[in-house]
Amino acid sequence: MRTPGRFWLRALARHTARMLLVLMLGGFLGATLARMAPGFGQDAEELDSRLSRESVAALRQARGEDESLPGFYVHFLGRMVRGDLGQSQTLQEPVRQLLAERFPETLESVGLGLALGWAAGLGLAIAAVMWRSAWADLTAGLAASVLLCVPAAVLALLFVIIQAPGRLVIGLIVFPKIFQFARNLLLRAASLPHVLTARAKGLGGLRVLIRHILPVAGPQLLALAGVSVSLALAAAIPVEVLCDLPGIGQLAWKAAMGRDLALLVDLTMIVTLITLVANTGAELLARRPREGGA
Amino acid sequence: MKWARRAAMTFLVVVLAAGLLANWIAPDSYARQFRDLPDVAPSSQHWLGTDDLGRDRFSRLLYGTRISVLLAPAAALVSSALAALIGGAAGFAGGWLEGCVMAATDLFLSLPWLFLLITARAFLPLNVSPLASVAITFALLGCLGWAAAARVICADARALCDSDILLLARASGSSGWRLLRRHVIPNLMPVLSAQFWISIPVFILTEANLGILGLGVAEPLPSWGSLLRELENFSAFSAQPWLFAPLLLLVLTVSCFHVALENREVWT
């Protein structure tokens, strides 16, 4: 028989291995695309007529341009492992410094957005299911339906026009998905026979929710939590660009507009890592030892 | 709610027809400039006024509708076909191929959708002709939007592989192309069809986001995304409510898709 400690260790090792595999695959894909992209390695520096052919060759070698694809990837991976994320071509700053400056802004925006989205979405879903509040169900359902039809960038623009804090937009983008998914999950859990029996025996609404409904819906709600991180990060791009918030989303947009491919590959890896950690964390929390012990 | 679905589908047909017939309905070309009439209010000549370059907004909205509403289904078709090919092959083959496909879908799904799109868009030349920008935008949507659908189709194909129907068909001597044509494709069609219809509103919204961010369809070609960029003109907001016409049309169209898709049997 497996002990819970051993089960958690094995699950953690398995998930970490999968995460690393996906991350390396992502890095390889990003590096391949960067290496193959039109204009890779073109630098205005090379146009300097004072440079000899040898100097141009040395510059190219320094940028890793003359390397084969596997060589380029190994070089890139080696740099990543050493913590050297390279230099941004457009912003002329070390990527590590750019990330250090901009990450707190995104963390704050995404954190606030997720907190708001979850508080409103889950709160209204609980109100709609537990207290059978037609008002909450109708209002939240209508708001969620409308918000699902509006592009994130338009919401951000509208917030700029009415001079409201742009960070709230991320909450509005996350809210409809949380509400709709949580409402369906809670409705399904609330109609299970043991919950109906508990209600019939006179158990209070709050106790039924905490003791009988949430444990059933919990694993899927945790999976939704992992997905919502990805949603919030995607929403951060238009929000930060249009509301002029200097975060990772704005940096990614600037890198895309300036075709700063090296910076984009670094950002891709970092954002992939964040979402993978969020999803893996949610998956691990949703697991129970007896599932793996069989 | 049958009436709501019918109303939604009628609206979608009208929008589609307006887009298809833009050449005949639109009073002017999307690029024609009335240089003496820049930024004018709606009138009998220009129903939604003109933009800051003097182009008729109503005509641009019709041509933009054609691009957004016709090319989003085209991109959905590409992504569904890719999902069917990749997910179906992985589901049937199983083993290492399924493992590789699952790792690839994990990767695609772990990257936020808009992030993936702008990254992939940046790897392609940005300074391209308007027509090339349309092709690139919708080709990217089609080529990158397959992951979630492939995962669903892979699971369905795996279940179908293990089903009694296929076992019976194999025992009766069906194999290869016949098995695929007579049993596999018909059984996967409802899922594929649902994935196709679900993708359309997602792609319409994504194109709008990309357009506003300046990474979508290039000027002078209009699309809903590029038309929405006019909303950046804050000072004119209170005086020009007609600037919201593209937004209203987009929200109504996407809502109609959601209403019509509530019961997917209608489509399959």
Side-chain angles (χ1 to χ4, degrees), chain A residues 18 22 26 34 37-38 148-149 151-154 157-158 160-161 230 234 237-238 242 252-253 256-257 259 261 264 267-268 271-272 275, chain B residues 106-107 110-112 114-115 118-119 122-126 205 208-209 212-215 228 231-232 234 237 244 247 250-251 254-255 258:
Chain A
R18 200 184 72 181
V22 172
L148 276 176
C149 301
V154 171
L157 271 177
L158 294 176
V160 171
I161 294 171
S230 177
I237 298 174
L242 296 161
W253 177 75
M257 294 303 273
R259 294 197 78 230
L261 302 181
L264 264 177
L267 285 174
T268 307
V271 172
T272 308
T275 48
Chain B
D106 270 350
L107 171 66
S110 61
L111 252 176
L114 207 55
F115 203 96
I118 71 159
T119 304
F123 285 120
L124 300 165
L126 290 175
L205 287 173
N209 276 323
I212 296 172
L213 292 174
L215 287 163
L228 286 170
L231 287 179
E232 283 179 359
F234 312 135
F237 164 60
F244 284 85
L247 177 62
L250 183 143
V251 170
V254 176
S255 318
H258 288 166

Side-chain angles (χ1 to χ4, degrees), chain B residues 89-112:
Chain B
F92 280 102
W96 66 269
L97 184 65
E98 192 181 355
C100 286
V101 169
M102 284 301 109
T105 54
D106 270 350
L107 171 66
F108 271 81
L109 296 176
S110 61
L111 252 176

